[in-house]
Amino acid sequence: MVDLLGRTRVGLTDGIRSPFGDDFINYWSGAYLALHGRAAEVYDFAAFHDFETSVVGPHIDLYHYSYPPVLLLLTAPLALVPYVPALFVWLASTWYGFYRALKLAAGDNALLLSLAAPAMFINAIGGQNGALTAGVLGGGLLLVDRRPTLAGVLFGLLVYKPHLALMLPVAMIAGRRWRVVMAAAVTALLLICASTIVFGPAVWAEYQHHVSVLRTVILEDGSGVWHRMISVFVSVRRLGGTVELSYAVQGVFALAAALVIGWSWLRDDPAPIRNALVVVGTCLATPYLQDYDLVIGAFAVVWLKNAQQHSQISAHWFDAGAAMLLLLPLMAASLAKLSGLAFGPLFFIPPFILLGALSMEHRRAYSTILAR
């Protein structure tokens, strides 16, 4: 609340660079423009900035809309509410969806964890979509075996943020979850077609050009919010690696993650292990990952603790892995600013190794039972 009040010094801004609600200005502005037949302005840097300053005031940096037109459809209802109340509708509704999904995994502990997870705090301050993504991805993984069609629909919604769905095809195909695959593909295709019909194909072309510029400025050049980026790619870039080397190293990590995840789902490991592998593996596989995206880490923490109940591995390893996933969002930006480096992968690798060890332990135990 103090942070929000600090962004009302000059209009709905802090008088320097940030608006009330921070990145939520992008979501609401995109929804408003799309709802009023002005979707083309969303991917025009100058026009979009002009509209945003008309909403909150001129004292803000150049904010941008980095999502495909599908998200304009999904968030259109936000534009039916004025900007300030829409922010609270956004934060409350996305948190509630996250909480309801987490409750499927954590039971009575879900409420406290959904409110206390550091990434949730980072996400709320930034007016971001981490809770929405976590609810969709985590909820989908929990429903894969119970309600596969609904799980596929949830996964299909991630077409708005496809870089966080990189490992889902690997897991679903290796696990032979064909109903999930079909439902996800149909959902994604329908959303793409609907956005094309509503906004026109030209908007998709503008989006492609827009996102190529953002990829260069924010990710490859590192002149954007690099200190909040926690991917392997950004870590290599901060160590002085070229763009080509950084992509190559990122590719190696992605391949390793895909192999472990695919093997786990192929052998049908217990759900906590294979689900947590998808989450942590995705964090190692995607080149674009920010601190607020780790709201999904709450699910991985719950699944780690569930897997601990049937493991002979020391509890200290589970505690350390959970702590790494929970604390990274709080520490990433500070560590980066102090050192000039990005340490994100160092927080993901140990939990991923632990999950791989759990998978091997389960396989050995299963083999022993079959041998008797």
Side-chain angles (χ1 to χ4, degrees), residues 4-5 21 42 63 71-72 91 109 127 138 140 147 154 159 177 186 190 192 226 243 323 371:
L4 284 174
L5 290 176
V42 173
Y63 281 67
L71 191 61
L72 298 176
L91 293 177
N109 296 319
R147 301 185 64 183
L154 290 174
V159 70
R177 274 33 176 214
V186 169
L190 286 175
I192 292 171
W226 71 267
V243 171

Side-chain angles (χ1 to χ4, degrees), residues 200-239:
V203 172
W204 273 95
E206 291 163 2
Y207 161 70
Q208 292 293 336
H209 171 73
H210 185 80
V211 80
S212 67
V213 174
L214 292 177
R215 182 180 64 247
T216 299
V217 173
I218 296 177
L219 182 63
E220 296 176 349
D221 288 352
S223 55
V225 289
W226 71 267
H227 59 286
R228 299 185 61 179
M229 301 284 279
I230 49 180
S231 69
V232 170
F233 179 92
V234 173
S235 294
V236 177
R237 286 291 284 144
R238 297 309 300 179
L239 287 170

Side-chain angles (χ1 to χ4, degrees), residues 28-369:
W28 189 87
S29 297
Y32 184 94
L33 290 170
L35 197 63
H36 290 80
R38 301 164 58 186
E41 295 179 39
V42 173
Y43 301 113
D44 182 318
F45 287 106
F48 195 59
H49 181 70
D50 287 344
F51 177 78
E52 290 185 323
T53 57
S54 74
V55 176
V56 297
H59 302 286
I60 61 172
D61 286 340
L62 185 67
Y63 281 67
H64 55 81
Y65 198 90
S66 58
Y67 301 93
V70 164
L71 191 61
L72 298 176
L73 279 181
L74 298 177
T75 57
L78 290 172
L80 301 175
V81 185
Y83 176 71
V84 173
L87 169 63
F88 294 101
V89 169
W90 169 256
L91 293 177
S93 61
T94 54
W95 166 80
Y96 184 71
F98 162 60
Y99 158 68
R100 292 292 297 183
L102 189 62
K103 190 173 175 63
L104 295 175
D108 293 338
N109 296 319
L111 181 60
L112 178 60
L113 182 57
S114 69
L115 292 171
M120 191 67 221
F121 173 71
I122 301 297
N123 177 79
I125 287 179
Q128 265 293 349
N129 58 42
L132 172 63
T133 304
V136 171
L137 179 54
L141 287 168
L142 286 162
L143 294 173
V144 161
D145 293 325
R146 290 184 247 181
R147 301 185 64 183
T149 301
L150 179 56
V153 170
L154 290 174
F155 291 156
L157 293 176
L158 284 174
V159 70
Y160 88 89
K161 205 164 185 177
H163 58 283
L164 293 186
L166 282 176
M167 294 294 106
L168 286 177
V170 174
M172 295 305 109
I173 293 172
R176 299 173 296 280
R177 274 33 176 214
W178 305 120
R179 286 177 62 186
V180 178
V181 172
M182 183 62 68
V186 169
T187 300
L189 184 60
L190 286 175
L191 287 171
I192 292 171
C193 290
S195 64
T196 302
I197 292 170
V198 173
F199 305 125
V203 172
W204 273 95
E206 291 163 2
Y207 161 70
Q208 292 293 336
H209 171 73
H210 185 80
V211 80
S212 67
V213 174
L214 292 177
R215 182 180 64 247
T216 299
V217 173
I218 296 177
L219 182 63
E220 296 176 349
D221 288 352
S223 55
V225 289
W226 71 267
H227 59 286
R228 299 185 61 179
M229 301 284 279
I230 49 180
S231 69
V232 170
F233 179 92
V234 173
S235 294
V236 177
R237 286 291 284 144
R238 297 309 300 179
L239 287 170
T242 63
V243 171
E244 293 77 15
L245 175 62
S246 301
Y247 276 125
V249 175
Q250 181 69 79
V252 170
F253 273 82
L255 179 59
L259 290 173
V260 175
I261 292 167
W263 187 238
S264 177
W265 280 77
L266 180 66
R267 299 187 312 181
D268 204 22
D269 283 341
I273 297 174
R274 52 183 162 83
N275 287 346
L277 277 170
V278 170
V279 170
V280 182
T282 297
C283 293
L284 285 170
T286 179
Y288 191 95
L289 187 71
Q290 293 203 44
D291 49 12
Y292 62 80
D293 288 318
L294 280 194
V295 177
I296 187 63
F299 286 92
V301 167
V302 172
W303 288 323
L304 266 176
K305 301 304 287 185
N306 289 343
Q308 179 183 347
Q309 300 172 19
H310 309 287
S311 174
Q312 300 301 311
I313 298 174
S314 171
H316 296 301
W317 291 108
F318 289 89
D319 293 339
M324 287 179 175
L325 293 174
L326 287 174
L327 293 177
L328 175 57
L330 279 182
M331 302 173 64
S334 297
L335 286 174
K337 288 181 178 179
L338 284 172
S339 66
L341 303 174
F343 294 94
L346 297 181
F347 288 77
F348 295 130
I349 292 172
F352 193 76
I353 293 174
L354 173 59
L355 287 164
L358 284 168
S359 177
M360 294 174 63
E361 181 186 50
H362 169 73
R363 181 49 47 180
R364 286 195 299 269
Y366 183 70
S367 299
T368 301
I369 292 173

